[in-house]
Structure formats: structure tokens, C-alpha cells
Amino acid sequence: MSDIKINETPVADEQAQPILTHEKSISQKIARGSEAGDILDQQMVMLGIQLVTQLNVLIKTSRIYERTNAALDKPVETMLTLIKTMAQDQPVTLRLQNDFLFLGDSHLKVNAQQMAVATSIIDALNAWKIGGITFSLTAESKDLREFAALFVGLDPENKALEDLQKEITARGIAGIELEEQRQLQLRKNFGTTRNTSPGTTDNKSPEGTGSTDPKAQRKMNAKNGYARVAGSVGALTQSSREGGTASFKQAKRAIQNIIDLMVDDEAAVLGLTTLRCHDQYTHNHSVNVSLLSIALANRVGYPKVELADLGLAALFHDMGKSTIPMEVLNKPGEFTDDDWVAMRNHPTEGVLSLSKMRGITNLPGRMAAASFEHHMNLDFSGYPKLTVPWTISLTGRILTIADCYDAMTSSRVYRREPMSPSKVLNMMLSKSGKSFDAVLLKLFVNCVGIVPIGSLVMLETNELAVVLKPATDKANAERPFVRVITDPQGNSVEHGREIDLTEKDEVGDFRDSIIRLIDNTEYKFDTSRYFV
Ligand SMILES: [Fe+2]
Ligand SMILES: [Fe+2]
């Protein structure tokens, strides 16, 4: 492995933060742009972090205590002092954009200790799809208490932000205003799927406007290909759920198209597997597993025709889940024992569902294997448990790796928290030869890279970058291709430069290096925007 260590973020002690406040605003006394103005901006950012911290305490405390409880006194009072200081000239707005917090237009950069607090607030705001909260001087103790009680009392699962806003008005809560998250823009030409990119709101491709640039064109083709595969798997799953018939022809054509694209530019296609947090998750998972399986099988040396069969088999490896009621699949919270029984049956049910579908007159062995064996594990530690001797097929072994990697890096499978790609890879390597075929796993690491595609990394220059593709030079496997996404101060940059980290300068030193891996899941940062 490389010498890169995964960054562990300690849990923050939110109560222990010193509070930095002033009696009055000092902003009027200081000219913007001056040195003192800069200090003021920095100070506002620090106050902003305090505001986030106290808001977090207020929300958490309100989940436990009534609005009048004394436990709320401290966060409420502190927030009021902060608002008084910060909103002297104009109301102060906390914004959430692309999972980054802002105070007005200033990015609230949080350190490792503050990360847990920021994440907690980001989750809370995201649950309500809140893009901004504005506090003004009219806010009083009762307003903050009422607001927090509503915020935690209503359920964002079955109420919209609009309902929350209406309640706020109805109860006469003053000095607090909510705004919606900005509508994410649909990327042009992204097939016919409804996937939206959580990325930037402009529509320029990083390589320019595109169609004449072969690289941009390849990327666009990959996206369209991905959308087509997702569309066909969606249609087939739906028809199987409804007991209808469907043809696999469309899916097979879409897979073949993907294979052609992958031969051209594997990284562009694999980059799309970082799309993990979209609504149409189930299909994305199937498509991702299919793409990862194809890439792995390609390294194994599968002939092209067999790649298509494998890709198709992988695409429907979770077909058995169509027998599980939607209420169970979408259940918030813990599964019951019965739910788990149904879940554990999906590999076997999958074989049965697939055999019932039209278009497969003779269920190909590979398809059956993909469904039946993908949770078995090499050492049979998984499920289903068998009482007869069994040898797991190559398809099954490939699927186990691709499925586990995608499931663990995503948030929706089995309600787990997602893990960063590098953590998942480390975990999988620790089970090499046990759960996973050791040789295949090694080849898989070659596909996604030792610092996997989609990882967030800090460069020596203090810039953040996202890994676009593995290094071509195996001797320098820890030096992938990256795209810079922030400046050294942490401000996001559009169309950041792409760097081959194996590049050396005149004296033979590497131009740029990774100094550490950043856990993008702890930053709640979706790197997929840099691939779509
Ligand atoms: Fe599965
Ligand atoms: Fe799966």
C-alpha cells in the first residue's frame, strides 16, 4: 500500500467551543478590502462557525427537551448574542450549497474538530431541503425556541419545506427565514434519465463546450451510455415487479455500447460509478456493479463477447430484490428479522425471477451465478448457506468484489453510512483470500487505483483535488491523475487543472504530490460532479 494514511476525524466537543462575541457590530468602522477588513471577514467566519455550532446544540437539545426547558437557555442566549453581533448591519444568512456551508458568500471552512458539527447541521438542513437560514435582529428567545421545536417536531419525510415555512408564519416566529435549496440544473445531453448533478449550476463542460474535443466527446458518450443502461435496467426491473414481460435485447445493446466506450477510455466510464447518491439508486447500483465487473473481467482477459454476457449478468445480479416489497426496501431504520430473511433470500429469488422473464429461454449460467453467488463470499461466510459442495464461479467471484465495492461506497444499500473509496478498498484488502479472491482483488485495485477513482485528496500545495483515474505507471500507483477543485484556501475553483502526479520537473522531482487522503463522506462531499 502507499504511505498515505486515511484521515480520521475526531468527534467534536461542541459544548467546549469558546464563544467569540462583541457588544456591537464593528463592521461599520472598518473599510472593506483593507487589512482590517480582512480580519473582520475572518472574524465573521469564526462567528459563523460559532453560530453553526450553537444552532446544532439548539436542534439537538430541542429533540430531547420542551421549548421552555432550561436546557435550551444556553444555546438560545448564545445564538442571540451572535445574531446581535453579526446581523447589526444586515441579516445574517447561513447557506448550504453542494454540501458546503457558507456565511453569506464566505465559505465556512471547518477544521477536523468542527467537522462532526458541520456534518450534523448539513444533514439536518438537507433533510428539509433548506438552502439557507437567515437570522435578523428581530429574532428573540421565543422565536428561536419555537423554530427549533418545529424544526425537530415536524417530519421532513412527510412534510415539505413549504409546510415548515407556513407553520413558522402561522406561529408568528420573527427574525428567522428559510430558503429553498437552489434547483440543481439538469445537465444537458445526459440521456433521458432524471439524474441531476449536484455540481455547479453552470452548464459548461470542464473541457470547454465540447463536441469537437474528443475527450469531452468521449465523456459525453460515456454519460449517455450510462444513462441508457440505467434506463433499460429500470424498465426491466419495473416489468418484473409488475409481473410483465420484457426483452433483454435493449439492455444487451446498451451494455455492448458501454464496452466499446470502455475500450476507448476506461477511466471515463468508471468515473461514472462515483454517481452514488442519486434517487434512482437501485439502478445506479446495478449499472455501477456492471461497469466495475466489466472493467475487472477485461483485466482478467475476457474476450469481448463474454464481457457483454458478464455485464448483463451483473446488471441483474440483484433482480431478486424485486420480490422484496418496496416498503421493506425503502424502510427507514432497522430491518426486522423477517426483513432480513427476505433480504438474504434475494440471491435465490433472483434466479427464480430471472428464469421467469421472457427473453431468457435458457437462463444463461452466468446470469444465474451472478445472482446466486454474489453474497456467498469466497470462504462461504456469506449467504445463501449451502449443504452441498460448491465451487464459486469466476462470475460469482468478480461480482462479489464489484458488488461489495459499490455497496460499501454508497449510502443506500442496507442503510449503511457510505465509506470513502479508499477505506472500502483497505477493508476489502484486509479480507483478501478470505471473502475475496486475492488475484481478482489485486486486478480490481488496478482498475480503480490504489487511491481509488473519486477519492478526495489534499495536494502539497494545499489544494483539494479529486482522483480522475489511476496512474498509468504501476511503479507510481499512488500518483493518479487528479483534477484540482479548490484553491489553497479551500475556495472551490471551476474548471481546475488536471494533473498527472507522475510528472516531474526539470530537476527530476515530482511536480505535485498527495499529502493526504480526505474522507469525502465525512465532508459530505460528492465527488461525482467532477465526472458528470
Ligand atoms: Fe445483492
Ligand atoms: Fe448488489
Side-chain angles (χ1 to χ4, degrees):
M1 285 296 300
S2 70
D3 54 354
I4 296 163
K5 294 276 185 299
I6 289 162
N7 179 35
E8 293 289 347
T9 306
V11 176
D13 178 0
E14 54 207 17
Q15 302 276 6
Q17 305 268 344
I19 304 292
L20 187 72
T21 56
H22 290 276
E23 281 301 298
K24 265 189 183 161
S25 165
I26 45 172
S27 62
Q28 283 160 326
K29 300 175 193 158
I30 299 169
R32 290 268 148 173
S34 66
E35 207 173 297
D38 287 344
I39 294 169
L40 173 69
D41 286 344
Q42 281 172 22
Q43 201 160 48
M44 280 297 273
V45 166
M46 285 168 76
L47 292 173
I49 289 171
Q50 298 294 342
L51 188 64
V52 169
T53 307
Q54 294 306 315
L55 180 61
N56 187 50
V57 177
L58 176 65
I59 290 172
K60 281 193 166 172
T61 316
S62 299
R63 288 192 203 281
I64 309 167
Y65 298 104
E66 278 287 333
R67 67 199 74 179
T68 50
N69 195 290
L72 271 66
D73 291 354
K74 190 169 167 256
V76 165
E77 273 167 33
T78 316
M79 275 187 77
L80 288 174
T81 316
L82 285 164
I83 294 167
K84 227 173 245 166
T85 311
M86 300 166 79
Q88 199 67 40
D89 305 325
Q90 53 184 11
V92 58
T93 305
L94 280 178
R95 282 214 168 78
L96 176 65
Q97 206 180 341
N98 296 344
D99 285 343
F100 281 127
L101 286 170
F102 290 81
L103 179 73
D105 294 320
S106 311
H107 177 201
L108 289 180
K109 275 201 300 175
V110 288
N111 60 30
Q113 279 75 36
Q114 297 153 340
M115 194 62 71
V117 174
T119 305
S120 166
I121 279 292
I122 289 170
D123 283 349
L125 295 182
N126 270 335
W128 274 111
K129 299 197 170 55
I130 292 172
I133 306 190
T134 301
F135 298 99
S136 47
L137 289 178
T138 47
E140 289 176 20
S141 167
K142 65 168 178 25
D143 301 308
L144 288 178
R145 287 166 192 267
E146 279 276 326
F147 166 74
L150 277 178
F151 190 93
V152 302
L154 299 177
D155 184 4
E157 288 287 340
N158 47 42
K159 293 269 183 206
L161 176 58
E162 217 185 300
D163 301 319
L164 178 61
Q165 281 167 320
K166 273 186 196 150
E167 270 305 307
I168 288 174
T169 317
R171 298 196 186 196
I173 297 174
I176 304 169
E177 271 172 47
L178 303 177
E179 48 187 273
E180 278 174 47
Q181 287 184 350
R182 281 191 209 162
Q183 199 58 46
L184 300 172
Q185 190 155 345
L186 274 172
R187 292 283 169 144
K188 271 186 198 156
N189 305 325
F190 191 46
T192 49
T193 63
R194 289 205 166 154
N195 284 345
T196 54
S197 157
T200 52
T201 46
D202 74 341
N203 219 359
K204 281 174 259 165
S205 101
E207 288 80 19
T209 45
S211 57
T212 52
D213 179 345
K215 202 170 157 200
Q217 189 60 49
R218 273 207 305 272
K219 210 165 152 185
M220 194 55 78
N221 289 343
K223 272 182 253 175
N224 290 337
Y226 187 100
R228 224 171 295 148
V229 179
S232 63
V233 72
L236 279 162
T237 310
Q238 183 70 15
S239 90
S240 150
R241 214 169 246 290
E242 289 164 358
T245 57
S247 153
F248 280 86
K249 269 192 198 137
Q250 195 201 349
K252 193 153 188 184
R253 265 203 304 273
I255 284 286
Q256 256 148 4
N257 173 248
I258 280 280
I259 292 168
D260 293 337
L261 294 167
M262 211 178 266
V263 173
D264 267 5
D265 191 347
E266 188 188 59
V269 177
L270 285 187
L272 295 172
T273 64
T274 61
L275 272 170
R276 295 191 175 100
C277 346
H278 297 281
D279 293 342
Q280 303 267 322
Y281 174 74
T282 323
H283 308 153
N284 280 348
H285 171 63
S286 304
V287 181
N288 291 350
V289 171
S290 180
L291 302 190
L292 292 165
S293 300
I294 293 170
L296 176 50
N298 192 24
R299 307 238 167 193
V300 175
Y302 270 47
K304 209 172 152 190
V305 275
E306 293 201 22
L307 283 182
D309 282 352
L310 176 83
L312 196 63
L315 203 52
F316 297 101
H317 75 281
D318 268 338
M319 202 55 161
K321 285 195 182 165
S322 66
T323 59
I324 302 172
M326 280 307 222
E327 305 85 78
V328 176
L329 285 179
N330 294 332
K331 201 176 214 177
E334 291 293 301
F335 277 178
T336 64
D337 288 351
D338 283 350
D339 296 341
W340 277 117
V341 170
M343 219 46 184
R344 292 217 163 89
N345 276 337
H346 83 265
T348 319
E349 289 293 339
V351 180
L352 298 173
S353 317
L354 284 164
S355 63
K356 282 184 208 143
M357 292 183 83
R358 208 174 64 176
I360 312 181
T361 34
N362 295 309
L363 180 65
R366 193 167 267 141
M367 231 167 185
S371 177
F372 193 56
E373 298 176 339
H374 76 275
H375 286 292
M376 243 174 216
N377 292 342
L378 190 70
D379 57 2
F380 299 100
S381 55
Y383 59 89
K385 297 278 182 218
L386 300 175
T387 48
V388 289
W390 194 267
T391 309
I392 299 176
S393 66
L394 185 54
T395 301
R397 292 171 194 218
I398 289 174
L399 256 290
T400 306
I401 292 174
D403 180 56
C404 178
Y405 181 78
D406 190 67
M408 301 283 285
T409 48
S410 332
S411 51
R412 301 269 185 98
V413 177
Y414 310 130
R415 312 284 142 200
R416 281 200 197 95
E417 281 295 305
M419 280 164 76
S420 71
S422 52
K423 267 192 186 168
V424 171
L425 215 52
N426 278 334
M427 184 285 290
M428 288 175 73
L429 284 165
S430 74
K431 291 184 183 172
S432 176
K434 292 173 212 147
S435 297
F436 309 105
D437 182 298
V439 176
L440 287 178
L441 190 57
K442 239 186 189 158
L443 289 171
F444 185 74
V445 176
N446 288 344
C447 288
V448 293
I450 201 157
V451 188
I453 293 179
S455 298
L456 195 58
V457 294
M458 172 85 75
L459 301 180
E460 241 165 17
T461 51
N462 256 347
E463 292 160 306
L464 284 180
V466 66
V467 175
L468 295 181
K469 58 179 172 178
T472 27
D473 174 10
K474 290 285 158 291
N476 282 311
E478 76 291 357
R479 298 187 159 274
F481 282 77
V482 299
R483 180 198 294 283
V484 170
I485 60 168
T486 73
D487 64 15
Q489 284 73 43
N491 303 307
S492 61
V493 290
E494 284 296 310
H495 319 321
R497 63 194 194 284
E498 275 182 30
I499 310 174
D500 174 356
L501 292 176
T502 59
E503 244 173 50
K504 292 184 177 171
D505 60 17
E506 308 74 40
V507 276
D509 291 335
F510 290 113
R511 281 185 197 280
D512 286 285
S513 297
I514 294 173
I515 51 168
R516 67 193 168 93
L517 272 170
I518 308 281
D519 190 335
N520 54 323
T521 58
E522 282 180 20
Y523 274 71
K524 291 282 169 197
F525 185 72
D526 181 6
T527 55
S528 71
R529 77 185 72 158
Y530 297 101
F531 295 95
V532 294

